[in-house]
Amino acid sequence: MAGYGQFCPVAKAMEVLDERWTMLVLRELMQGSTRFNELRRGVPKMSPALLSKRLRSLERAGLVRHDGEGRYLLTESGADLFDVVQGIGLWGLRWVPELGEQDLDPHLLMWDMSRTVPVERWPSGRTVVEFHFDDVEPKARSWWFVVADGKVDVCDVDPGHDVAATVSTGLGTLVRIWRGDRSWTDALRQEAVTLAAPPRVRREVPSWFGRSTLADAAAARGVVPAAVPAQRSSADVPTPKVVR
């Protein structure tokens, strides 16, 4: 991309980072995706050709390396962007809470959830939880998490095993729970989520999934997602200075 023609480190950094999709590709690498198809699942609206182009750009910039065995790995330079990417996410949680229909994708949500399932909290042996979205087109309405031997599989076709619990909700509700905008407890109390399972399992299912790593980071830092961003005048907010 064309440069900004400025010596400011912010400008120089953005010459590398501000191409469309670049930060999301870095986010996926930081979430543990290393294979091309794994990266594609995290950015499903990005074409394969453009993903390949961005990966080559990141390699040239020294942020990513290809190990010759099909894996894309962050270099020291790329990994050093973790706080930057997380910081942008935390800012988004706090100040950009609006979600439109175009932002809700069950495939992306199930993929994201599958990467951080705390399998140590699940019962020993194979356990299956079904998710049913009542506001999604039929072909993407039902999903199954299968946890066995410390591994997580997500199926969009019934795997044929006994189901320990069925979670019924709207896609937007589960997205907001996953983002940390809403708690499992609140959604269950208001019946925005229903759980069909024995009482003991109903109590445990929320802990089997939890919420996103970014939501946990927000809670740890005291960042509270706002339903509507607070409006403050410029006089109320000191302007930080960027040292060049």
Side-chain angles (χ1 to χ4, degrees):
M1 63 171 292
Y4 288 104
Q6 294 190 6
F7 62 81
C8 168
V10 174
K12 299 307 295 179
M14 294 311 293
E15 289 177 4
V16 177
L17 300 175
D18 77 349
E19 284 189 293
R20 182 171 170 81
W21 295 107
T22 293
M23 294 298 282
L24 299 190
V25 173
L26 290 170
R27 177 202 68 193
E28 289 306 302
L29 290 163
M30 291 174 186
Q31 285 289 92
S33 295
T34 59
R35 304 284 180 178
F36 189 83
N37 285 337
E38 291 175 341
L39 291 166
R40 284 201 64 199
R41 292 186 70 177
V43 284
K45 295 184 179 180
M46 186 180 190
S47 72
L50 184 55
L51 176 56
S52 294
K53 181 179 179 181
R54 287 293 177 272
L55 287 168
R56 289 195 299 270
S57 296
L58 290 170
E59 285 187 78
R60 288 194 298 271
L63 277 67
V64 172
R65 65 181 179 87
H66 190 267
D67 70 353
E69 297 182 0
R71 294 181 301 176
Y72 293 91
L73 304 171
L74 289 168
T75 63
E76 180 181 2
S77 172
D80 202 32
L81 284 164
F82 177 84
D83 287 343
V84 175
V85 175
Q86 185 180 80
I88 291 172
L90 293 173
W91 182 88
L93 275 176
R94 185 178 182 189
W95 297 110
V96 194
E98 297 86 359
L99 294 175
E101 290 296 322
Q102 73 278 5
D103 300 320
L104 306 179
D105 182 345
H107 299 82
L108 180 57
L109 176 61
M110 295 292 101
W111 167 242
D112 201 30
M113 291 176 66
S114 72
R115 293 188 290 189
T116 57
V117 168
V119 293
E120 70 278 0
R121 300 178 189 171
W122 288 59
S124 58
R126 183 174 58 211
T127 305
V128 181
V129 174
E130 178 182 359
F131 281 85
H132 181 82
F133 299 116
D134 52 27
D135 56 355
V136 173
E137 59 182 352
K139 66 179 181 180
R141 185 167 294 167
S142 295
W143 298 80
W144 291 263
F145 276 76
V146 182
V147 174
D149 300 324
K151 298 180 180 179
V152 181
D153 287 321
V154 179
C155 309
D156 58 2
V157 176
D158 189 345
H161 306 307
D162 291 339
V163 173
T166 298
V167 182
S168 299
T169 186
L171 177 58
T173 297
L174 190 60
V175 165
R176 290 203 172 278
I177 291 171
W178 185 242
R179 281 168 41 103
D181 302 320
R182 189 173 189 179
S183 70
W184 279 98
T185 300
D186 172 70
L188 287 164
R189 183 174 57 248
Q190 297 189 17
E191 298 184 348
V193 173
T194 59
L195 266 170
R200 180 185 60 81
V201 175
R202 282 204 303 270
R203 290 192 296 270
E204 294 180 359
V205 165
S207 71
W208 291 355
F209 292 97
R211 57 190 178 181
S212 70
T213 54
L214 189 60
D216 285 338
R221 296 191 184 192
V223 174
V224 179
V228 178
Q231 298 298 316
R232 294 185 288 179
S233 70
S234 58
D236 296 328
V237 184
T239 303
K241 303 298 183 182
V242 177
V243 179
R244 293 189 172 88

